[in-house]
Amino acid sequence: MKATAEAPANIAFIKYWGKADEHLRLPLNDSLSMNLSGAFTQTTVEFSEQYTRDEVHIIDATFSPEETARVSAGLDVIRTRAKCPFHARVVTKNTFPKGAGSAASASGFAALMTAGFAAANVSLPQKELTLFARLGSGSACRSIPSGFVVWEKGTSHETSYAYSLYDEHYWDLCDLLVIVDKRMKKVATSDGMRNVTTSPYLSSRLAAVPARLKRATEALARKDFAALGSVIEEDCLDMHRVMQTQVPPLPYWNEVTQTIMTAVPVWRTKGIPVYFTIDAGPNVHLICEEKDVSRVKAELTDISGIEEIIYNKVAKGARTISAHLF
Ligand code: PMV
């Protein structure tokens, strides 16, 4: 009754911000992402009658009581589906800072669900696993399938699922995740999204996303990097405009974030095809093709305030692994 899983974080090219159903975590719009090879979570779950409560431990970090309760709620979903009567011990570790807008909840819940169902000896079709991962954290459903992934918003638990458009071998895109602040963000995404309807820009965003998603998937199909990159940046700025005009506003960027955002178009004029995107935090994802990684890294050496750069290729989705954490 013990299993371990590894799941990648993902970076959304077309982003999800706002829920149609808070409890089921149904999003207001479809989204598209790429799984990240260098930013991932490993989690071991053991269900056993020896545990009198759920024991949740994260290596080299801490969980707040709310986060521990969210993990237990995820375990409840597994227990109900698997008809498992036992409490669990969970040990988890990330290769990247948790809670700084670099998608630890996505890899975290994808790993928890994959390990948890395996520990409970239940083998689910991938589509169903994406539904359960979504209940833990919306974007976690995109960390289950491999490579480039679409999350259909759906209208019910069963219809809001994620699937792979192309696997991790399709195109050698890279994401340099530039960490400019390792600290926890002050407002969790779940809390921030609750106020999304107070932004006057939400309706124009929701109207624009379907065409943008179409442009992004067509650019992916053609491997047209400039077309993909420009729609990625456009959607990032659009989501942040909504965040920044919510009440209360969510200004996630810091000075280094903005320095990089200003520099990236200048680098493009110098012939380096690179585009930025940013989630709910100050850290910047620089998307480029493998052939341009060293030139982007060289440009980054001129910018002060960078704490770490995590290099990512396109990754496969969540899977069980044999090395347990306890
Ligand atoms: O699934 P959550 O609650 O971690 O929200 C993710 C929200 C963004 O990262 C900002 C956008 C996205 O689609 O990943």
Side-chain angles (χ1 to χ4, degrees):
M1 294 286 259
K2 186 195 276 194
T4 301
E6 182 174 305
N10 67 75
I11 180 65
F13 290 170
I14 303 295
K15 294 179 185 294
Y16 139 65
W17 189 252
K19 297 186 183 83
D21 184 310
E22 172 106 25
H23 177 63
L24 291 176
R25 292 181 197 273
L26 304 183
L28 287 172
N29 60 270
D30 298 347
S31 53
L32 166 71
S33 62
M34 164 182 143
N35 284 332
L36 305 180
S37 65
F40 57 88
T41 301
Q42 290 181 340
T43 301
T44 299
V45 178
E46 180 179 45
F47 289 105
S48 166
E49 57 191 352
Q50 67 176 298
Y51 303 122
T52 53
R53 59 180 178 84
D54 290 332
E55 296 175 15
V56 180
H57 178 65
I58 178 162
I59 295 170
D60 294 334
T62 49
F63 272 140
S64 66
E66 294 77 27
E67 287 171 320
T68 304
R70 247 174 107 176
V71 173
S72 255
L75 293 168
D76 285 340
V77 165
I78 298 167
R79 281 186 281 253
T80 304
R81 175 68 175 74
K83 299 190 176 57
C84 168
F86 303 129
H87 286 102
R89 176 166 161 75
V90 176
V91 176
T92 188
K93 68 172 183 190
N94 293 325
T95 61
F96 61 109
K98 172 174 90 64
S102 39
S105 65
S107 56
F109 279 100
L112 179 72
M113 287 297 161
T114 305
F117 276 109
N121 214 8
V122 172
S123 169
L124 294 180
Q126 184 184 80
K127 179 174 170 181
E128 198 178 345
L129 200 52
T130 75
L131 305 180
F132 288 125
R134 191 202 72 235
L135 294 176
S137 167
S139 58
C141 69
R142 297 191 311 239
S143 289
I144 300 280
S146 287
F148 299 94
V149 177
V150 169
W151 172 15
E152 295 228 356
K153 63 180 177 164
T155 52
S156 62
H157 174 61
E158 289 74 21
T159 54
S160 185
Y161 63 97
Y163 60 92
S164 177
L165 265 187
Y166 302 103
D167 75 11
E168 69 277 17
H169 307 295
Y170 174 69
W171 192 2
D172 58 354
L173 291 192
C174 296
D175 172 5
L176 294 175
L177 168 49
V178 185
I179 306 287
V180 300
D181 188 347
K182 287 190 177 158
R183 288 169 302 176
M184 284 290 288
K185 62 194 165 205
K186 292 192 192 73
V187 181
T189 50
S190 309
D191 297 331
M193 281 187 205
R194 222 160 271 142
N195 299 320
V196 69
T197 51
T198 59
S199 167
Y201 294 106
L202 177 65
S203 56
S204 59
R205 167 164 178 73
L206 294 178
V209 161
R212 228 180 259 150
L213 182 63
K214 186 165 180 284
R215 271 165 61 204
T217 50
E218 286 172 0
L220 256 181
R222 294 195 310 274
K223 296 190 183 173
D224 180 341
F225 185 65
L228 180 64
S230 63
V231 75
I232 288 173
E233 268 188 16
E234 189 182 310
D235 192 67
C236 163
L237 292 170
D238 191 35
M239 178 185 75
H240 281 272
R241 184 166 69 155
V242 171
M243 290 167 156
Q244 289 162 6
T245 53
Q246 289 183 202
V247 184
L250 293 173
Y252 280 117
W253 306 336
N254 69 17
E255 268 178 43
V256 190
T257 315
Q258 293 180 66
T259 303
I260 298 171
M261 292 168 73
T262 309
V264 166
V266 177
W267 299 343
R268 285 203 294 270
T269 64
K270 294 203 266 181
I272 308 173
V274 56
Y275 294 82
F276 65 77
T277 185
I278 303 157
D279 278 346
N283 301 317
V284 184
H285 295 253
L286 295 178
I287 312 294
C288 65
E289 293 180 275
E290 178 69 50
K291 65 180 174 54
D292 297 310
V293 166
S294 54
R295 291 167 80 200
V296 176
K297 277 190 174 164
E299 293 293 343
L300 283 168
T301 57
D302 290 340
I303 294 178
S304 54
I306 294 174
E307 297 181 2
E308 191 183 343
I309 299 171
I310 301 174
Y311 165 77
N312 298 285
K313 294 191 287 193
V314 190
K316 65 165 74 157
R319 64 208 174 275
T320 53
I321 56 173
S322 52
H324 300 309
L325 297 179
F326 66 93

